[in-house]
């Protein structure tokens, strides 16, 4: 890019000038001319390029050029100087009769200065990329990427690396973006000149910059300190907005490491600019002034959620005094799938079994580094310390959003935070899917909502544009109580599963028609009264409650079809009934029997709450229906008994488990925005 700079010169004086290769010096010839000057001529040494705008009218190439009122001399240097003042340019002025009236002389020193980043996103810091000072989305886009350095190299007394005051390990540097200062020119700058790196006050809240300890010997130092680094000084931070950096002379490079401090949010769009300026001295009593500035732009990588269709890496469950049967079934299922299982002990969870509600797994990505990041919900139950104490570590990041305790409701638990597989909606592609949250109905005058700080954070990530569903009709209020996604071999590569009281009543009416009206739900369950199919179908109040629930789910069905571009063929209705509970004169719903939509998805294996439905010919009719529906997609069902340990406490298999999954192959920066 061209950096134009106005230069003032005077006749009968010699001006010493630094010109950065790639910049342009603009000299107004009329302002620098002596009185009565009518013509001029310009001479320069090799390596100096000059032109005049507007193009002058000359009588002949050898005659002086008429001096116009707006004639501007444009001066550029084609290569760096080997020595100070080793290039010359003179401007000679003439009178009406072409007599010499005066001469202005420039002694020029050319420098190459570039602040460089990986602007083309290929993992290499190229020299002076023309697009390094801006950001553009898409596969043909440009602009460097910055990670929030939110993992921790410490295993004891841990805290995120971006909260430490220093760099201690080589692996910590890998989480930062490399920025290179490249210079070429004389061995030293002319006296009084300086290089300064600087950021704005606003950007300083989101970024820090470190530099290599020994810029002339970086390779040998990194070889010697293979695992630990020594003395990587902090250059820019919240407290230091500008700092002088060394000019190394001749042909040299200095490495800087840029660290993200915060994710995009409602007060931060994710873009950060870092500047490098060449400062010129005026006098010993006055501050230096910038004569050249180079700028690079970074975008902070967003936090990205992973849908059920991505391959699992690790499954998390809690051990409690009463969930032995559940835990045994989960162990068997995960072992069958061949994934890792991490059991959060009673000592750690302190009786809080709802590991889905406490945290959500995601990741951050850049051309040079990628690692998982856990989002800690503001619910802060007895599992509140688990994400920080047990997950934060080397190459495993942590982020949370804090809210006022009085603002936090059940809707801030992350069973109320899901993400769809990739979809295309009205020609717009969402290759990373869309985040789904539950809120109060739009026309409700009162009701529970996910806190603003969490919603702001999710929206600010941009790459998985959120969808808000109506979930406040539920006692617990989580979207995972009535919907989930499973992989499919056809159509869009997945199916949306929705809880459906209508499908439940259809199934039970079919059972009665076939003579099984006396078949019992909950038969044989301890401390649970068995209920026949006929009793369910004949209870008009219960039917009315489920009609209400179906209307709530249908409202969400329409939203999901519209916002995810789904057809009816992309949706499967699961036979699930609900019942209403009254609390403070408000009625909200819970699943009547174990909520089969609230499942864990592990590739082609599904862990589904065992529904304890009516048995027909020795088989549970609800299980048989699930086997039929999921078997058509090539999915296998394992029914897990969570009745006493989870269902009776208003949760199910999904609520009591969590899954970390592989990242998308798609690179977020290639999104068309």
């Amino acid at each position: 890019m061209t950096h134009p700079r106005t230069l003032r010169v005077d006749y009968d004086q010699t001006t010493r000038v630094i010109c950065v290769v790639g910049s342009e010096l603009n000299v107004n010839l009329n302002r620098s001319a002596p009185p009565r000057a009518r013509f001029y001529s310009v001479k320069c040494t090799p390596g100096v390029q000059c032109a005049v705008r507007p193009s002058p009218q000359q009588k002949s190439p050898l005659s002086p050029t008429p001096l116009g009122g707006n004639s501007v001399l444009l001066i550029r240097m084609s290569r760096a100087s080997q020595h100070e003042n080793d290039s010359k340019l003179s401007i000679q002025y003439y009178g009406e009769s072409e007599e010499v009236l005066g001469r202005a002389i420039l002694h020029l020193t050319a420098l190459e200065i570039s602040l460089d980043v990986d602007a083309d996103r290929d993992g290499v810091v190229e020299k002076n990329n023309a697009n390094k000072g801006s950001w553009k989305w898409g596969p043909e886009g440009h602009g460097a990427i910055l990670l929030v350095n939110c993992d921790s190299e410490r295993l004891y007394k841990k805290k995120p690396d971006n909260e430490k005051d220093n760099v201690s390990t080589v692996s910590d540097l890998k989480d930062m973006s490399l920025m290179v200062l490249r210079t070429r020119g004389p061995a030293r700058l002319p006296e009084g000149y300086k290089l300064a790196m600087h950021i704005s006050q606003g950007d300083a809240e989101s970024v820090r910059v470190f530099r290599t300890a020994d810029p002339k010997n970086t390779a040998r130092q990194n070889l010697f300190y293979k695992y630990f680094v020594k003395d990587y000084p902090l250059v820019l931070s919240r407290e230091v907005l500008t700092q002088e950096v060394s000019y190394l002379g001749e042909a040299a490079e200095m490495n800087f490491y840029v660290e993200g401090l915060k994710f995009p949010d409602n007060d931060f769009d994710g873009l950060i600019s870092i500047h490098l300026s060449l400062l010129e001295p005026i006098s010993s009593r006055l501050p230096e002034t910038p004569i050249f500035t180079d700028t690079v732009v970074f975008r902070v990588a967003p936090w990205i959620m992973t849908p059920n269709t991505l391959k699992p890496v690790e499954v998390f469950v809690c051990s409690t005094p009463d969930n032995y049967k559940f835990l045994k079934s989960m162990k068997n299922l995960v072992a069958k799938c061949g994934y890792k299982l991490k059991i959060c002990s009673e000592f750690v969870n302190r009786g809080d079994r709802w590991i889905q509600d406490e945290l959500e797994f995601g990741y951050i990505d850049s051309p040079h580094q990628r690692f998982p990041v856990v989002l800690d919900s503001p619910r802060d139950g007895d599992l509140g310390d688990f994400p920080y104490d047990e997950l934060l570590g080397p190459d495993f990041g942590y982020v949370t959003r804090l809210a006022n305790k009085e603002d936090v409701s059940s809707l801030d638990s992350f069973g109320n935070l899901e993400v769809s597989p990739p979809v295309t909606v009205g020609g717009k592609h969402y290759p990373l899917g869309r985040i789904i949250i539950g809120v109060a109905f739009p026309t409700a005058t009162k009701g529970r909502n996910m806190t603003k700080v969490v919603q702001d954070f999710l929206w600010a990530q941009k790459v998985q544009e959120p969808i808000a569903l109506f979930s406040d009709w539920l006692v617990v209020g989580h979207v995972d109580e009535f919907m989930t996604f499973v992989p499919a071999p056809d159509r869009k590569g997945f199916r949306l599963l929705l809880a459906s009281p209508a499908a439940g009543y259809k199934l039970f009416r079919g059972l009665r028609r076939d003579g099984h009206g006396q078949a019992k739900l909950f038969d044989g369950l301890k401390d649970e009264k068995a209920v026949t199919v006929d009793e369910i179908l004949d209870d008009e109040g219960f039917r009315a409650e489920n009609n209400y629930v179906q209307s709530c789910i249908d409202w969400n069905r329409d939203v999901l079809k519209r916002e995810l571009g789904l057809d009816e063929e992309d949706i499967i209705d699961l036979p699930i009934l609900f019942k209403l509970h009254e609390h403070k004169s408000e009625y909200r719903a819970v699943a009547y029997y174990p909520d089969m939509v609230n499942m864990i998805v592990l590739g082609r294996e599904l862990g589904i709450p065992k529904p304890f439905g009516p048995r027909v010919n020795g088989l549970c009719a609800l299980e048989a229906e699930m086997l039929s529906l999921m078997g058509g997609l090539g999915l296998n069902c394992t029914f897990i008994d969570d009745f006493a340990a989870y269902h009776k406490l208003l949760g199910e298999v999904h609520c009591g488990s969590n899954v970390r999954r592989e990242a998308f192959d798609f690179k977020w920066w290639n999104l068309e925005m």
Side-chain angles (χ1 to χ4, degrees):
M1 64 185 75
T2 301
H3 300 264
R5 170 191 163 201
T6 298
L7 179 66
R8 298 189 306 274
V9 299
D10 289 317
Y11 68 95
D12 290 340
Q13 288 190 12
T14 298
T15 304
R16 289 175 171 79
V17 180
I18 284 187
C19 181
V20 177
V21 175
S23 67
E24 183 179 80
L25 302 177
N26 297 342
V27 178
N28 187 302
L29 292 171
N30 193 59
R31 291 177 192 164
S32 61
R36 297 180 289 107
R38 297 292 181 269
F39 302 94
Y40 70 92
S41 63
V42 178
K43 293 182 180 180
C44 56
T45 56
V48 180
Q49 302 167 342
C50 56
V52 177
R53 296 288 184 273
S55 298
Q57 300 293 324
Q58 285 183 276
K59 292 181 291 184
S60 71
L62 299 178
S63 63
T65 304
L67 183 64
N70 59 348
S71 296
V72 177
L73 177 64
L74 311 179
I75 304 170
R76 303 186 71 174
M77 302 290 286
S78 61
R79 61 180 184 271
S81 298
Q82 293 184 337
H83 308 287
E84 187 178 342
N85 302 323
D86 62 358
S87 295
K88 308 290 190 295
L89 182 145
S90 66
I91 308 169
Q92 192 151 288
Y93 293 97
Y94 306 89
E96 189 69 40
S97 302
E98 298 187 1
E99 72 279 16
V100 175
L101 298 181
R103 186 171 63 169
I105 298 176
L106 276 67
H107 288 184
L108 297 163
T109 303
L111 303 177
E112 288 184 16
I113 302 174
S114 65
L115 189 62
D116 295 325
V117 293
D118 179 17
D120 59 3
R121 307 165 186 164
D122 64 354
V124 178
V125 177
E126 62 275 6
K127 184 176 181 180
N128 222 10
N129 187 298
N131 296 313
K132 65 185 180 181
S134 61
W135 172 272
K136 181 181 178 182
W137 293 87
E140 304 302 320
H142 57 260
I145 293 166
L146 184 64
L147 295 179
V148 177
N149 192 14
C150 58
D151 66 336
S152 176
E153 297 304 319
R154 296 182 184 177
L155 296 177
Y156 303 99
K157 296 183 179 179
K158 66 171 72 172
K159 60 181 176 179
D161 290 337
N162 58 7
E163 295 181 10
K164 299 187 307 183
D165 295 329
N166 64 315
V167 179
S168 58
T169 64
V170 172
S171 58
D172 193 15
L173 294 176
K174 294 178 181 177
D175 298 336
M176 303 183 192
S177 294
L178 179 62
M179 180 172 68
V180 181
L181 170 58
R182 294 183 169 108
T183 57
R184 182 184 294 271
R188 60 184 61 84
L189 290 175
E191 184 176 356
Y193 284 83
K194 297 177 181 178
L195 288 176
M197 189 173 290
H198 51 104
I199 52 177
S200 69
Q201 181 72 60
D203 284 351
E205 298 299 316
S206 308
V207 69
R208 292 193 301 186
V209 179
F210 297 85
R211 70 166 171 84
T212 187
D214 184 0
K216 293 185 178 180
N217 206 16
T218 302
R220 186 171 67 86
Q221 174 176 300
N222 285 344
L223 180 63
F224 183 76
Y225 296 105
K226 186 176 181 181
Y227 299 106
F228 300 97
V229 295
K230 183 180 180 181
D231 188 24
Y232 271 61
L234 184 61
V235 178
L236 300 176
S237 66
R238 293 183 179 98
E239 292 75 28
V240 182
L241 302 183
T242 182
Q243 187 166 151
E244 182 180 352
V245 297
S246 299
Y247 170 79
L248 302 179
E250 300 174 339
E253 295 184 356
M254 182 188 298
N255 288 347
F256 294 82
Y257 297 90
V258 187
E259 173 185 61
L261 301 181
K262 59 186 291 189
F263 284 92
D265 215 321
N266 68 327
D267 60 347
F268 173 47
D269 65 3
L271 291 174
I272 291 169
S273 298
I274 300 177
H275 314 278
L276 180 83
S277 292
L278 176 63
L279 305 181
E280 181 180 55
I282 302 299
S283 76
S284 59
R285 298 181 297 104
L286 300 174
E288 303 91 351
T289 58
I291 59 173
F292 168 84
T293 297
D294 206 9
T295 298
V296 296
V297 171
F298 290 91
R299 179 176 284 278
V300 175
W303 180 79
I304 300 172
M305 280 184 67
T306 52
N308 287 350
T309 48
L310 290 176
K311 183 179 179 181
V313 175
E314 193 170 13
V315 179
F316 294 78
V317 293
C318 289
S319 173
T320 62
D322 60 349
N323 76 342
Y324 170 77
K325 290 171 66 175
F326 171 83
L327 204 57
K328 182 179 179 181
S329 297
M330 289 295 293
K331 287 179 180 178
N332 292 337
L333 175 62
V334 176
K336 175 183 176 182
C337 299
Y339 303 123
K340 296 179 182 178
L341 177 66
K342 182 175 179 62
I343 299 175
C344 178
S345 69
E346 297 174 40
F347 174 77
V348 174
N349 66 54
R350 296 175 291 179
D352 187 350
R353 69 198 67 208
W354 310 114
I355 197 165
Q356 178 66 224
D357 290 338
E358 183 59 42
L359 58 96
E360 189 67 54
F361 288 109
Y363 69 94
I364 56 176
D365 194 13
S366 73
H368 64 276
Q369 178 70 304
R370 178 172 70 192
F371 56 81
V373 176
V374 60
L375 175 62
D376 190 0
S377 84
R379 83 183 267 270
D380 284 342
D382 287 328
L383 265 170
D385 295 334
F386 176 79
Y388 194 94
D389 291 346
E390 302 295 325
L391 297 177
L392 173 63
D395 292 331
F396 206 124
Y398 172 91
V399 61
T400 191
R401 283 298 175 266
L402 301 177
N404 295 327
K405 191 172 182 180
E406 58 270 19
D407 295 333
V408 176
S409 72
S410 176
L411 272 67
D412 292 299
S413 297
F414 284 166
N416 197 35
L417 173 61
E418 297 297 322
V419 65
S420 79
V423 292
T424 299
V425 186
K428 183 175 181 180
H429 190 39
Y430 296 89
L432 302 174
R434 298 188 67 180
I435 284 173
I436 297 169
I437 63 171
V439 297
F441 196 73
T443 59
T445 56
K446 61 179 180 177
R448 301 166 298 172
N449 276 295
M450 181 176 282
T451 53
K452 184 177 184 298
V453 291
V454 175
Q455 291 199 52
D456 286 345
F457 174 82
L458 297 173
W459 276 98
Q461 307 314 303
K462 287 185 176 291
V463 296
Q464 295 176 304
E465 184 180 333
I467 301 167
L469 299 182
F470 169 38
S471 68
D472 192 35
W473 56 273
L474 289 152
V475 169
V476 177
H478 297 174
V479 294
D480 71 350
E481 297 177 77
F482 63 86
M483 61 158 290
T484 194
F485 299 94
V486 294
D490 56 0
R491 296 187 62 81
K492 296 177 175 64
F494 69 90
R495 292 289 190 278
L496 167 64
L497 307 185
L498 286 178
S500 172
Y505 271 95
K506 180 179 179 179
L507 176 65
F508 290 161
R509 285 197 303 269
L511 291 176
R512 180 154 72 176
R513 183 191 62 230
D514 294 338
H516 303 294
Q518 292 303 305
K520 297 179 179 179
L521 287 81
F522 314 130
D523 195 19
L525 272 177
K526 184 180 179 181
D527 299 327
E528 197 69 27
K529 180 183 177 182
V531 181
T532 67
V533 170
D534 284 341
E535 288 174 324
I536 289 175
L537 293 176
D538 293 339
D539 188 334
E540 293 300 324
F542 189 59
R543 182 188 294 270
E545 292 178 3
N546 276 279
N547 286 339
Y548 165 73
V549 169
Q550 187 65 62
S551 69
C552 294
I553 294 174
D554 285 345
W555 192 89
N556 289 311
R557 183 192 200 94
D558 293 338
V559 173
L560 289 165
K561 287 173 67 176
R562 180 176 66 250
E563 297 295 336
L564 296 179
L566 303 181
D567 302 315
E568 280 297 321
E569 292 80 4
D570 300 312
I571 303 173
I572 296 176
D573 293 309
L574 305 186
I576 301 166
L577 300 183
F578 291 79
K579 58 183 177 181
L580 297 187
H581 284 187
E582 183 181 4
H583 179 65
K584 295 182 179 179
S585 300
E586 293 184 349
Y587 289 89
R588 290 190 170 99
V590 298
Y592 180 55
Y593 46 79
D595 188 352
M596 294 182 292
V597 78
N598 193 274
M599 64 178 69
I600 184 171
V601 180
L602 302 176
R604 294 176 58 190
E605 302 292 330
L606 308 179
I608 301 172
K610 185 175 180 63
F612 294 97
R615 300 186 71 81
V616 176
N617 299 324
L619 297 175
C620 171
L622 291 170
E623 289 186 18
E625 181 71 3
M626 284 296 294
L627 287 168
S628 174
L629 293 172
M630 298 300 100
L633 300 176
L635 302 175
N636 303 315
C637 301
T638 298
F639 293 96
I640 297 173
D641 182 357
D642 71 352
F643 198 94
Y646 290 86
H647 173 72
K648 297 287 283 184
L649 300 176
L650 306 185
E652 308 288 358
V653 171
H654 187 258
C655 305
S657 61
N658 216 315
V659 183
R660 180 168 71 88
R661 300 180 185 273
E662 290 185 351
F664 284 100
D665 291 331
F666 182 86
K667 301 302 182 184
W668 62 267
W669 51 88
N670 288 328
L671 268 170
E672 299 283 1
M673 299 292 277

